[in-house]
Amino acid sequence: MDRLMDIPSSAELKRVVVVGGGFAGLNFCKRLKDERFQIVLLDKTNHHNFQPLLYQVATAGVEPSSISFPFRSLFAGRKNFHIRMCEVLETDAETQEVKTSIGRLHYDYLVIATGCDTNYFGNKALEENTMALKTTAEALYNRNHILESFERAVDTDDTQEREKLLTFVVVGGGATGVELAGALAEMRRFVLRKDYPDLDVDKMRIILVDGKDRLLFSFKPKSSREAEDYLRYRGVELKQKTRVLGYENEVLRLSNEEIPTANVFWTA
Ligand SMILES: Cc1cc2nc3c(=O)[nH]c(=O)nc-3n(C[C@H](O)[C@H](O)[C@H](O)COP(=O)(O)OP(=O)(O)OC[C@H]3O[C@@H](n4cnc5c(N)ncnc54)[C@H](O)[C@@H]3O)c2cc1C
């Protein structure tokens, strides 16, 4: 798009364009309160996403509105502060311009705070068939998928199909995977038992797969042990030193076995 973005410009103010209103971009904008600068915050969405509680949205523990904070409310009343919802497609350091889905914009200073994306290590099938957990939209998709699996499991008289629907596999034993597996175990204990009396709760399997020999590898070994003990106590099956090779036709292929499942979460 070749249009220039409609942002007021002034010779006295240097323009700082901030791409991304996650933790980094948001804190940068909050702290840069200086009359010499105009700030333009560009983000694909119009709100900040509090990622640490996404797993709670995915497992129906909290509502999306509790972890989404509109930029326009956060920065209401700030002078020389502009917000545009758009995707930044390119930056050009020579012309000092960003190219976005709604037009070009000149900058004096550019802050790129676009975060990171889920890594599927190049495996397209995993990207297409598993559930990620980085945005509110993905958390809501996961929530619907989990509840739909319960509904379908209640209704089927095919034992194998029911087992597949009630098998939940989380791939990745970092903080997100551990939290998600724990929240699924809580869901089995509190939600499933109460809301789905026709289902045999004990048939719901929660499996956490990880390539390393201990969960929470970047934490101290004591924390790993405590997390492992707690998850086992809550009935989560741990498959460690195990790699995922693929997921097709609702069968998850691991380095040492295959698991039929309709629900695979990718937090690697
Ligand atoms: C499920 C989950 C749980 C977590 N739990 C914790 C925790 O308990 N404690 C902890 O310390 N950390 C936690 N983290 C990590 C933490 O959330 C991240 O480290 C942090 O969000 C990174 O901040 P960021 O600003 O770099 O990126 P992000 O928060 O990812 O923000 C990037 C922003 O850039 C925007 N953006 C990206 N590309 C473009 C583009 N091309 N154009 C316009 N906008 C763009 C996005 O829309 C987004 O708003 C968790 C992460 C996840 C996913």
Side-chain angles (χ1 to χ4, degrees), residues 19-24 43-44 51-52 86-88 113-115 133-134 176:
V19 187
F23 280 136
D43 200 294
K44 283 191 282 194
Q51 289 181 343
C86 61
E87 185 172 8
V88 173
T114 48
L133 189 59
K134 276 251 184 278
T176 302

Side-chain angles (χ1 to χ4, degrees), residues 51 55 133-134 170 172-182 216 266-267:
Q51 289 181 343
Y55 78 96
L133 189 59
K134 276 251 184 278
V170 179
T176 302
V178 166
E179 283 171 342
L180 184 60
L216 301 180
W266 188 263
T267 72

Side-chain angles (χ1 to χ4, degrees), residues 188-202:
R188 171 172 57 192
R189 200 164 153 226
F190 297 110
V191 180
L192 204 60
R193 203 174 289 281
K194 184 166 134 291
D195 291 356
Y196 293 87
D198 297 342
L199 270 180
D200 181 354
V201 178
D202 297 331

Side-chain angles (χ1 to χ4, degrees), residues 117-131 245-248 253 266:
D117 214 346
T118 307
N119 189 354
Y120 297 92
F121 305 100
N123 190 322
K124 271 274 160 222
L126 289 174
E127 186 171 347
E128 278 160 21
N129 300 325
T130 64
M131 291 176 273
L245 303 179
Y247 180 54
E248 290 104 19
R253 276 189 298 117
W266 188 263

